[in-house]
Amino acid sequence: MSCQRWVRLSTEKPTSTVYVLDTELSLDVAGAAPEGATTFDVWGTSGVNLYVVHNGEILKVPSCVPRWPLDRSIEVIVMMDTPSFEVDEDKVRVSYFKDHGKTPIAKALLHLTCVEISLDADTNRTGSVSRRAKNKKDWTWGPQGKGAVLLVNCDRDSPEDRDVDNKDLELHTFADLRDMSLMILTMRGPDDVFEDHQVNLHISLSDQDKVGVFHALGKKKLRQYKHVLGSGKLSYSVERCPGQEENTFYVEGLAFPDRDFSGLVSFHATLLEASTKELPEVPIFNDTVVFRVAPWIMTPNTLQPIIVYVCSVQGNANFVADVNRLALKAGCKVVVCPEVENRQDRWIQDEMEIGYVQSPHKTFPVVFDSPRNGPLKDFPFKDVLGPDFGYVTREPPEGTVSSLDSFGNLEVSPPVTVKGKEYPLGRIIIGSNFPILEGRKMVKMVRDFLYAQKVQLPIELYSDWLLVGHVDEFMTFVPASDQKGFRLLLASPSACYKLLKEKEQEGHGDAMMFDGLKTSKQVSISKLLADKSLRSKNEYFQKCIDWNRDILKEELELTEEDIIDIPQLFSPSFNTSKAIAYFPDIVNMLVLGKYLGIPKPFGPIIEEQCCLEEEVRCLLEPLGLSCTFIDDFETYHLNYGEIHCGTNVRRKPFSFKWWNMTS
Amino acid sequence: MSCQRWVRLSTEKPTSTVYVLDTELSLDVAGAAPEGATTFDVWGTSGVNLYVVHNGEILKVPSCVPRWPLDRSIEVIVMMDTPSFEVDEDKVRVSYFKDHGKTPIAKALLHLTCVEISLDADTNRTGSVSRRAKNKKDWTWGPQGKGAVLLVNCDRDSPEDRDVDNKDLELHTFADLRDMSLMILTMRGPDDVFEDHQVNLHISLSDQDKVGVFHALGKKKLRQYKHVLGSGKLSYSVERCPGQEENTFYVEGLAFPDRDFSGLVSFHATLLEASTKELPEVPIFNDTVVFRVAPWIMTPNTLQPIIVYVCSVQGNANFVADVNRLALKAGCKVVVCPEVENRQDRWIQDEMEIGYVQSPHKTFPVVFDSPRNGPLKDFPFKDVLGPDFGYVTREPPEGTVSSLDSFGNLEVSPPVTVKGKEYPLGRIIIGSNFPILEGRKMVKMVRDFLYAQKVQLPIELYSDWLLVGHVDEFMTFVPASDQKGFRLLLASPSACYKLLKEKEQEGHGDAMMFDGLKTSKQVSISKLLADKSLRSKNEYFQKCIDWNRDILKEELELTEEDIIDIPQLFSPSFNTSKAIAYFPDIVNMLVLGKYLGIPKPFGPIIEEQCCLEEEVRCLLEPLGLSCTFIDDFETYHLNYGEIHCGTNVRRKPFSFKWWNMTS
């Protein structure tokens, strides 16, 4: 829409039009000129500011130039400062002259009524509506950026509701209004002018399944909030009661950004002028305000934990108790998912990922329910979704989901800067196949969703060399107070062989791996080192990890000092050559602030100390981290997972606001 | 992919690896260090460049520092300059020392073979392949931009073929190769190294329906060009014959940029290292080159015409002859679509739009076949498509197509600069409904296509107030040698009433409109001026045009001096209030350079001159334009169209290259 409107004049009869505050009227002075006219002058009443644009100069009227040549290069611009009290309150008169004649040969009279029409939202991102802002049509990133934010109203504020709050067209609780963004339509001016001028609020067809709008027709009763746009409704004619200058709307998001949705939605308020009865109304002014739907944001291990989730299943009572103790130290709550809910499915990391959404006026966590859909599948919707706890999922076609779609394969790095580009919310990390080697890959529907959130640009690693195929099997991040604020831990067969060889050289070749375990055959360091087949396979697994290591170094701009190699061996699984952890997978740990819950590796005991535990402490404790080794051998490790796979964490949102990112 | 690779060393046995030209190897010096080692030194053969990165300094080895502390902050980097002649030709040795000991306590030996692996294309946009270019993964716009270009191979070089050239997996004529882009894979190094190293060329799943690749296994025979990627083929293992350093590929586009396709496609060459037989190969290097599929570009009236298309139908022989004469003056060819092809459908403007595609090595026209599908529907595919004349269409679901999908409703402006942003290829203009007024709109599928081309950002106008609903009914552009190089002509009821009133005042109130026409009832100027109903409707139509005028002024940054109001009246159609031209629609003209073929308006004759023709000449001839008024009254005007609707023009491409746009 233009903020300048072309207005036709007539020398036959006075004409009349509406001026909208903060716009310009450009008068068609030449078009109305009678034959023979060569010059004109222009005059206006006190409520009118008149300007003549001539040779690039803007002159306020009256000026020292009394007459102007009738020339298409001259523009006459009308502006007004305040809404009129009465219709046709102000006037502009253009008088036409022939040559040097003193009496005009014709006059054109234009009556003006000034109105204020403005559609406003929190475009300055302060938490309240910005009035009469400029450039509301553009949405820009960064600390100087402008543009309002909308939340997907995907929580369930009324416990008795069956579905999330944006699935119906009614308001069930006032709490729900706080999840929506305010939008105010101002219509100021003499009441009479609104009898033949109508304001219409409308959205485009492509936005109708992205947003919902409620009109507050009163404030006290829930049923006074009327659903007026979205879910099939494209246009709403706003009734203006005499004297009513403002209409309040509440806006909710229906959909997250995705492959075919940038996240931007526009609301338009159009002022229509009635013509004769037979002919349609004509649009004469349009105000547009753009919102961006807030992305779903993941939280890395460096953020403070709030709640730890763990499943209670047959035989894991000790494990649950260990997790409870660790959470107590870290000062966070524990939610235990009972057997009746989890149906013996302990892999709560894989079933969901807890992130959050944020607007200047409201922030709440949102659980992303993975398409894995194990026996735990109802837990996120039934138990995690709730008041101010949102829910989102993606349901790919049946038969397309693989183990790589479990969210143990979905992690996020701490904040990084890469080649000068800042990622203040980190980067998402997912595992994939290596493209030329046929194999498993996270479904496109989920990858598309993750990329579309934009603020944590994903990195795809190669995790399909593992039987389970999750990135959390070979990497994790731990907080650190120095350097970049974190370290990347990578599982390392090389480091493990090096450690074991040193121990052998020190005379401990007979020390036994899996000492004290009934369920696993014990094996000495020397025998382990002599197993050439296991060694060559671990060289291959190390190369797979190193391929990822090179990608992570490049994509997160890490140096060797940011990486710690954690001793680990893998073995090929029974009937494929894909890797499984040979002993409990150390990097698959639970990170709660500085407290680490680490799978107890059951390494060779040397001088009454597990040499693997000792090495890990030696690597991590200097960073100020506290290592607690938890026995997950029978309940998790033997089922191809460890502590990280068997827990989930809700963390505090970033203090950095996503809209302050510079793209 | 990283251009730095992490390499493990061993003090137990010499290890061996491949170095790829233009990459770096980073040696895991600390990881291989024996227990007790505190310092190391590093030595290499003459083919190896060694660097130590220490405290942010890069030191070439040998340097003045003989020994280095064993510290993770120290990096050892290996680079090489030329491909090796033999496998393991060069060596690097790392010696480990304890404290101040003079004899190393251990040594790690790394054998190196240097190879060149490079996937190259015309990334510098010169018309030939750029070798060993950097940053091939990124595609950037502008005169300094980099990145190769691909054409959609949508012409039909062999007349006997049934479909366009990219629809089959074979090469039918050598001419077809010239529509494709060259891509060269270099694999230089000792032959033996390629026995356990394999290069794989691959694309992503989402690109497989966007590109096709032919491998030239020889040059002389068509069947030596083997289809290896695209249309279901994702990966191709490149066989290297001994001594063969280059493989030549030809790349064609299968699809234009669209809603879900940015136009960017990537080709990857991955070097794989064989492990043991049981284990898969490991990727150790990847080179990626990105192409952008060339957009479809429209040509505005300001570009030189090459061919005029017109239909021969019953009774229009004189019209065709008039168009021929005009084209002769303008120096362009005429193609007459015969009755057997057009089946009495004369609206050739509506059935297609001729644009072009361009790469640094090749440019050809492409006809966009509209979804209108009138009796003319086979003409674009059967007769326009041909050698070096491409074809594209979009087929929306049945029942969704309206009159607004005809390409009389699809125009393009001349080049403009708007708020500092340059549009050197102009901006596409389409007509639409006004969103709040229910109505017709161009189908989303076509709008999505137009937006996705990116280089001529569309403007949507309001054309649904017209019965036929095309933008060419109220606007056109003509060339001009001054100002911005063009003028926008807008149909203007106001200008028409003003002219007629002047004529009446001059005493010509009795002059007759439609003088000399048998098929239309004549009406005097005075009677026309006295028709209040017609007048009020034209005031409404003028407001509709003015709404568009304001948008065009803003979106093309035009001033009043860039716009010419052309006198025109509209009347409401019989059973709707939508507009049709009251007399032949003057702006619906054929623009061939400075020669304009204008619908003869049959206005009132005053002093043996049609006063409308006289006014139009008066407005346009000072710009150096030549006005030829062509009688289209019975054959076109009475069927709700005029000359522009009944013709089509192929024009010369812009001299400006689209990839030089700055986004």
Side-chain angles (χ1 to χ4, degrees):
Chain A
M1 218 302 297
S2 160
C3 61
Q4 189 183 78
R5 185 157 66 94
W6 185 242
V7 174
R8 304 272 166 188
L9 302 173
S10 168
T11 53
E12 291 175 40
K13 52 179 185 191
T15 50
S16 166
T17 197
V18 150
Y19 167 85
V20 180
L21 217 58
D22 298 330
T23 67
E24 295 178 0
L25 300 181
S26 178
L27 305 188
D28 181 20
V29 173
E35 218 181 350
T38 53
T39 59
F40 71 95
D41 71 18
V42 56
W43 165 90
T45 49
S46 64
V48 174
N49 302 313
L50 282 168
Y51 302 89
V52 172
V53 187
H54 189 211
N55 294 333
E57 268 189 296
I58 300 170
L59 298 161
K60 184 136 170 52
V61 174
S63 78
C64 52
V65 183
R67 299 258 182 103
W68 306 90
L70 255 178
D71 177 338
R72 297 214 79 183
S73 71
I74 291 192
E75 276 186 271
V76 178
I77 303 293
V78 176
M79 294 181 77
M80 295 171 81
D81 292 328
T82 40
S84 305
F85 288 102
E86 281 174 31
V87 172
D88 290 346
E89 198 174 86
D90 280 286
K91 288 175 194 61
V92 169
R93 188 186 61 216
V94 177
S95 307
Y96 294 97
F97 300 88
K98 196 165 184 172
D99 301 332
H100 298 288
K102 286 197 174 165
T103 323
I105 58 171
K107 292 178 186 178
L109 197 64
L110 177 67
H111 293 275
L112 290 166
T113 311
C114 177
V115 297
E116 181 185 347
I117 307 289
S118 190
L119 188 62
D120 295 312
D122 179 13
T123 45
N124 288 332
R125 303 167 187 170
T126 60
S128 54
V129 171
S130 322
R131 302 305 178 113
R132 286 173 66 182
K134 304 223 153 129
N135 301 324
K136 291 179 286 187
K137 274 202 303 187
D138 296 318
W139 200 101
T140 48
W141 293 91
Q144 310 305 321
K146 299 278 176 209
V149 172
L150 205 56
L151 297 180
V152 178
N153 191 5
C154 61
D155 68 336
R156 180 167 54 191
D157 284 322
S158 308
E160 65 276 14
D161 276 1
R162 285 196 170 190
D163 211 336
V164 297
D165 289 340
N166 62 17
K167 283 289 165 66
D168 55 35
L169 312 182
E170 285 161 15
L171 203 66
H172 293 165
T173 159
F174 283 105
D176 200 22
L177 286 178
R178 290 193 285 273
D179 301 333
M180 304 192 201
S181 297
L182 257 182
M183 183 166 73
I184 290 175
L185 173 65
T186 303
M187 293 192 278
R188 200 166 281 154
D191 289 337
D192 289 354
V193 86
F194 292 102
E195 279 174 21
D196 51 4
H197 289 82
Q198 171 67 45
V199 176
N200 208 303
L201 199 64
H202 52 105
I203 56 175
S204 72
L205 186 62
S206 57
D207 285 353
Q208 66 90 17
D209 54 353
K210 313 292 190 303
V211 289
V213 177
F214 290 84
H215 185 186
L217 296 169
K219 291 195 163 186
K220 296 195 177 153
K221 290 176 186 161
L222 286 170
R223 62 179 162 71
Q224 289 174 315
Y225 294 81
K226 186 183 162 199
H227 182 267
V228 297
L229 286 177
S231 305
K233 296 173 192 151
L234 295 181
S235 166
Y236 175 62
S237 180
V238 184
E239 293 294 328
R240 183 182 181 278
C241 305
Q244 188 196 3
E245 297 194 333
E246 285 193 355
N247 279 275
T248 302
F249 296 89
Y250 290 87
V251 189
E252 65 179 3
L254 305 184
F256 279 95
D258 212 328
R259 192 175 72 105
D260 49 5
F261 174 41
S262 70
L264 294 176
V265 288
S266 296
F267 297 89
H268 314 280
T270 296
L271 181 66
L272 294 161
E273 184 184 79
S275 302
T276 61
K277 278 180 194 166
E278 307 146 44
L279 292 166
E281 295 160 309
V282 189
I284 58 167
F285 169 75
N286 176 39
D287 201 20
T288 294
V289 64
V290 178
F291 286 75
R292 186 182 285 277
V293 174
W296 178 77
I297 299 172
M298 285 177 63
T299 54
N301 282 352
T302 45
L303 290 174
Q304 187 186 319
I306 300 172
I307 298 175
V308 177
Y309 294 85
V310 65
C311 291
S312 163
V313 294
Q314 243 164 12
N316 82 337
N318 287 342
F319 178 85
V320 172
D322 287 342
V323 168
N324 258 300
R325 267 189 295 272
L326 190 74
L328 189 67
K329 275 198 222 170
C332 60
K333 286 205 300 181
V334 175
V335 169
V336 178
C337 171
E339 287 185 50
V340 59
E341 299 269 349
N342 66 48
R343 296 173 285 182
Q344 301 302 321
D345 182 355
R346 69 204 67 194
W347 309 117
I348 199 161
Q349 177 69 225
D350 290 336
E351 196 52 49
M352 62 185 196
E353 180 75 32
I354 297 169
Y356 68 93
V357 295
Q358 186 161 51
S359 74
H361 69 283
K362 181 81 184 256
T363 302
F364 60 77
V366 174
V367 59
F368 184 4
D369 187 355
S370 108
R372 167 184 183 259
N373 291 348
L376 257 170
K377 73 179 159 65
D378 297 333
F379 181 69
F381 191 82
K382 266 184 65 185
D383 293 87
V384 183
L385 167 65
D388 285 347
F389 206 131
Y391 175 91
V392 62
T393 189
R394 285 295 176 272
E395 297 280 357
E398 243 180 283
T400 61
V401 172
S402 74
S403 171
L404 272 66
D405 294 303
S406 290
F407 286 171
N409 196 31
L410 168 64
E411 297 300 319
V412 64
S413 82
V416 287
T417 300
V418 185
K419 292 173 195 149
K421 164 136 185 67
E422 289 180 19
Y423 296 94
L425 307 173
R427 296 186 66 178
I428 288 171
I429 294 169
I430 58 177
S432 194
N433 65 329
F434 193 81
I436 44 166
L437 309 168
E438 287 190 12
R440 300 165 298 172
K441 203 175 165 85
M442 188 177 269
V443 288
K444 189 164 181 307
M445 195 180 258
V446 173
R447 280 183 293 131
D448 284 345
F449 173 87
L450 297 172
Y451 278 92
Q453 307 313 306
K454 281 201 185 107
V455 295
Q456 298 179 306
L457 182 67
I459 301 167
E460 294 193 41
L461 297 181
Y462 170 36
S463 67
D464 191 31
W465 59 276
L466 289 144
L467 181 71
V468 174
H470 297 175
V471 291
D472 70 349
E473 295 178 83
F474 65 86
M475 62 171 289
T476 193
F477 295 96
V478 292
S481 54
D482 59 351
Q483 295 174 198
K484 300 194 170 76
F486 68 89
R487 293 290 188 283
L488 166 64
L489 309 190
L490 286 174
S492 173
S494 289
C496 193
Y497 275 110
K498 194 181 168 210
L499 177 73
L500 294 178
K501 210 183 143 219
E502 280 170 17
K503 296 301 169 197
E504 188 187 45
Q505 284 171 342
E506 289 165 11
H508 304 294
D510 295 332
M512 289 299 206
M513 186 89 221
F514 306 131
D515 208 355
L517 277 174
K518 288 174 198 157
T519 41
S520 214
K521 210 180 140 190
Q522 294 166 26
V523 52
S524 72
I525 289 182
S526 297
K527 206 173 160 194
L528 207 53
L529 288 171
D531 183 341
K532 285 196 176 154
S533 160
L534 186 68
R535 179 136 196 180
S536 82
K537 270 147 199 159
N538 271 285
E539 276 169 14
Y540 162 72
F541 298 140
Q542 182 68 63
K543 283 179 185 170
C544 295
I545 295 169
D546 283 347
W547 173 260
N548 291 315
R549 181 194 183 97
D550 289 339
I551 295 174
L552 287 164
K553 279 173 80 174
E554 164 131 342
E555 298 291 345
L556 300 177
E557 201 167 296
L558 303 181
T559 66
E560 282 301 313
E561 289 178 284
D562 300 318
I563 304 176
I564 297 175
D565 285 316
I566 299 290
Q568 185 65 45
L569 293 185
F570 295 91
S571 55
S573 67
F574 176 62
N575 53 4
T576 70
S577 57
K578 303 220 184 227
I580 51 176
Y582 180 77
F583 54 80
D585 193 356
I586 297 172
V587 295
N588 196 274
M589 62 180 64
L590 172 62
V591 180
L592 301 177
K594 66 173 200 167
Y595 298 95
L596 312 180
I598 305 175
K600 188 175 171 57
F602 290 95
I605 306 289
I606 292 168
E607 289 160 14
E608 292 175 22
Q609 267 277 351
C610 164
C611 67
L612 290 169
E613 288 187 26
E614 196 194 359
E615 176 74 5
V616 170
R617 282 187 201 281
C618 193
L619 290 166
L620 301 182
E621 286 183 352
L623 299 173
L625 299 167
S626 158
C627 300
T628 305
F629 292 91
I630 295 175
D631 177 2
D632 72 350
F633 202 93
E634 287 179 35
T635 44
Y636 293 81
H637 174 66
L638 292 181
N639 292 302
Y640 307 121
E642 317 281 353
I643 298 179
H644 188 257
C645 310
T647 54
N648 211 318
V649 183
R650 179 188 151 197
R651 297 179 190 275
K652 234 182 122 173
F654 284 100
S655 56
F656 182 90
K657 310 297 183 204
W658 61 266
W659 51 84
N660 285 332
M661 272 187 79
T662 45
S663 62
Chain B
M1 219 303 296
S2 159
C3 60
Q4 190 183 78
R5 184 157 66 93
W6 184 243
V7 174
R8 304 272 165 189
L9 302 174
S10 168
T11 54
E12 290 175 42
K13 53 178 183 191
T15 49
S16 166
T17 197
V18 150
Y19 168 85
V20 181
L21 217 59
D22 299 329
T23 67
E24 295 177 2
L25 299 181
S26 178
L27 305 188
D28 181 21
V29 172
E35 219 183 348
T38 53
T39 60
F40 72 96
D41 72 17
V42 56
W43 165 89
T45 50
S46 63
V48 174
N49 303 315
L50 280 169
Y51 303 89
V52 172
V53 188
H54 188 211
N55 293 334
E57 267 188 296
I58 300 171
L59 297 161
K60 184 134 168 54
V61 173
S63 77
C64 53
V65 184
R67 300 257 182 103
W68 305 90
L70 255 178
D71 179 339
R72 295 214 80 183
S73 71
I74 291 193
E75 274 186 272
V76 178
I77 304 292
V78 177
M79 295 181 77
M80 296 171 79
D81 291 329
T82 40
S84 305
F85 288 102
E86 281 173 32
V87 171
D88 290 346
E89 199 174 83
D90 280 287
K91 287 174 195 60
V92 169
R93 190 187 58 218
V94 177
S95 306
Y96 294 96
F97 300 88
K98 196 164 182 171
D99 300 330
H100 297 289
K102 286 195 174 167
T103 323
I105 57 169
K107 291 178 186 179
L109 196 64
L110 177 67
H111 293 273
L112 289 165
T113 310
C114 177
V115 298
E116 180 185 346
I117 306 289
S118 190
L119 187 63
D120 294 312
D122 179 13
T123 43
N124 288 331
R125 303 167 187 170
T126 60
S128 55
V129 172
S130 322
R131 302 305 178 111
R132 286 175 63 182
K134 303 220 154 133
N135 300 326
K136 291 179 287 188
K137 274 201 305 188
D138 296 319
W139 200 102
T140 47
W141 293 91
Q144 311 305 322
K146 299 280 175 209
V149 173
L150 205 57
L151 297 179
V152 179
N153 192 5
C154 60
D155 69 335
R156 180 166 53 191
D157 285 321
S158 308
E160 65 275 15
D161 275 1
R162 286 196 167 188
D163 211 335
V164 297
D165 289 340
N166 62 18
K167 285 288 166 68
D168 56 34
L169 312 183
E170 284 160 18
L171 203 66
H172 293 163
T173 160
F174 283 104
D176 199 21
L177 286 180
R178 290 193 285 273
D179 301 334
M180 302 192 201
S181 296
L182 257 182
M183 184 166 72
I184 291 175
L185 173 65
T186 304
M187 293 193 277
R188 200 167 282 153
D191 289 338
D192 289 353
V193 86
F194 292 101
E195 279 175 21
D196 52 3
H197 289 81
Q198 171 69 43
V199 175
N200 209 303
L201 199 63
H202 52 105
I203 56 176
S204 71
L205 185 64
S206 58
D207 285 353
Q208 66 89 17
D209 55 352
K210 312 294 190 303
V211 289
V213 177
F214 290 85
H215 186 186
L217 296 168
K219 291 198 162 181
K220 296 193 175 154
K221 292 175 183 159
L222 286 170
R223 61 178 162 71
Q224 288 175 315
Y225 293 83
K226 186 183 161 197
H227 182 269
V228 296
L229 286 177
S231 303
K233 296 174 193 148
L234 294 181
S235 166
Y236 175 61
S237 179
V238 184
E239 292 294 326
R240 183 181 181 277
C241 306
Q244 189 198 1
E245 298 194 332
E246 286 193 354
N247 279 275
T248 302
F249 297 89
Y250 289 88
V251 188
E252 65 180 5
L254 305 183
F256 279 95
D258 212 329
R259 193 175 70 106
D260 50 5
F261 173 41
S262 69
L264 294 176
V265 288
S266 296
F267 298 89
H268 314 279
T270 296
L271 181 66
L272 294 162
E273 183 183 80
S275 300
T276 61
K277 279 178 193 165
E278 308 145 45
L279 292 166
E281 295 160 310
V282 190
I284 57 168
F285 170 76
N286 175 41
D287 201 20
T288 294
V289 63
V290 177
F291 287 74
R292 187 181 286 276
V293 174
W296 177 78
I297 299 171
M298 286 178 62
T299 55
N301 283 351
T302 44
L303 289 175
Q304 189 187 316
I306 301 173
I307 297 174
V308 176
Y309 294 86
V310 64
C311 291
S312 164
V313 295
Q314 244 165 13
N316 82 336
N318 288 342
F319 177 85
V320 172
D322 287 341
V323 168
N324 258 299
R325 267 189 293 275
L326 190 75
L328 190 67
K329 276 198 220 169
C332 60
K333 287 205 299 181
V334 174
V335 168
V336 178
C337 172
E339 287 185 51
V340 58
E341 299 268 351
N342 66 48
R343 295 174 284 181
Q344 301 303 320
D345 181 356
R346 68 205 66 196
W347 309 117
I348 198 160
Q349 177 68 226
D350 291 336
E351 195 52 49
M352 62 186 194
E353 180 74 34
I354 296 169
Y356 69 93
V357 293
Q358 185 160 51
S359 74
H361 70 283
K362 182 79 184 259
T363 302
F364 60 77
V366 174
V367 58
F368 185 5
D369 187 355
S370 108
R372 165 184 183 261
N373 291 347
L376 255 171
K377 73 178 159 66
D378 297 333
F379 182 70
F381 190 81
K382 266 184 65 186
D383 293 271
V384 182
L385 168 64
D388 284 348
F389 206 130
Y391 174 91
V392 62
T393 189
R394 285 294 178 273
E395 297 281 358
E398 243 180 283
T400 60
V401 173
S402 74
S403 172
L404 271 65
D405 294 303
S406 291
F407 285 172
N409 196 30
L410 169 62
E411 298 300 320
V412 64
S413 83
V416 287
T417 300
V418 185
K419 292 174 196 148
K421 163 134 184 69
E422 289 180 18
Y423 296 95
L425 307 173
R427 295 187 65 177
I428 287 171
I429 294 169
I430 58 178
S432 196
N433 65 329
F434 192 81
I436 43 166
L437 309 168
E438 286 190 13
R440 301 164 297 173
K441 203 175 166 82
M442 189 176 269
V443 286
K444 191 165 181 305
M445 194 182 261
V446 173
R447 281 183 291 129
D448 283 343
F449 173 86
L450 297 172
Y451 278 91
Q453 307 313 305
K454 283 201 184 108
V455 295
Q456 300 179 304
L457 183 68
I459 300 167
E460 294 193 42
L461 296 181
Y462 170 35
S463 67
D464 191 33
W465 58 277
L466 289 144
L467 181 70
V468 174
H470 296 175
V471 290
D472 71 348
E473 295 179 81
F474 65 86
M475 62 171 289
T476 192
F477 295 96
V478 292
S481 54
D482 59 351
Q483 296 176 194
K484 301 194 171 78
F486 68 89
R487 294 289 190 285
L488 166 65
L489 309 189
L490 285 174
S492 174
S494 288
C496 192
Y497 276 110
K498 193 181 170 211
L499 177 74
L500 293 177
K501 208 181 147 221
E502 280 170 19
K503 296 301 169 195
E504 187 186 45
Q505 282 170 342
E506 288 164 14
H508 304 294
D510 294 333
M512 290 299 208
M513 187 88 222
F514 305 130
D515 207 354
L517 276 174
K518 289 173 194 156
T519 41
S520 214
K521 210 180 143 191
Q522 294 168 25
V523 54
S524 72
I525 289 180
S526 297
K527 205 170 162 198
L528 208 52
L529 288 172
D531 183 340
K532 284 196 176 155
S533 160
L534 187 68
R535 181 137 195 176
S536 82
K537 269 148 201 161
N538 271 284
E539 276 169 12
Y540 163 71
F541 298 141
Q542 182 67 62
K543 283 180 183 168
C544 295
I545 295 169
D546 283 348
W547 173 258
N548 290 315
R549 181 192 183 98
D550 288 339
I551 294 174
L552 286 164
K553 278 173 80 172
E554 164 132 341
E555 297 293 343
L556 300 176
E557 202 167 294
L558 303 181
T559 67
E560 281 302 313
E561 289 178 283
D562 301 317
I563 302 176
I564 295 175
D565 285 317
I566 299 291
Q568 185 66 45
L569 293 185
F570 296 91
S571 55
S573 66
F574 176 62
N575 53 5
T576 70
S577 58
K578 303 222 183 225
I580 51 176
Y582 180 76
F583 55 79
D585 193 357
I586 297 173
V587 296
N588 196 274
M589 61 178 66
L590 172 63
V591 180
L592 301 176
K594 65 174 202 168
Y595 298 95
L596 311 181
I598 305 175
K600 189 174 170 61
F602 289 96
I605 305 289
I606 294 168
E607 289 160 15
E608 292 178 20
Q609 268 278 352
C610 164
C611 68
L612 290 169
E613 288 187 26
E614 195 193 1
E615 176 73 4
V616 169
R617 281 188 202 282
C618 193
L619 290 167
L620 301 183
E621 286 182 352
L623 300 173
L625 297 168
S626 158
C627 299
T628 304
F629 291 91
I630 295 176
D631 176 1
D632 73 348
F633 203 93
E634 288 181 31
T635 45
Y636 292 81
H637 173 68
L638 292 181
N639 292 303
Y640 306 122
E642 317 282 352
I643 297 180
H644 188 257
C645 310
T647 54
N648 211 318
V649 184
R650 179 187 152 197
R651 298 180 190 274
K652 233 181 120 173
F654 283 99
S655 55
F656 182 90
K657 311 296 183 205
W658 61 266
W659 51 84
N660 285 332
M661 272 186 78
T662 44
S663 61

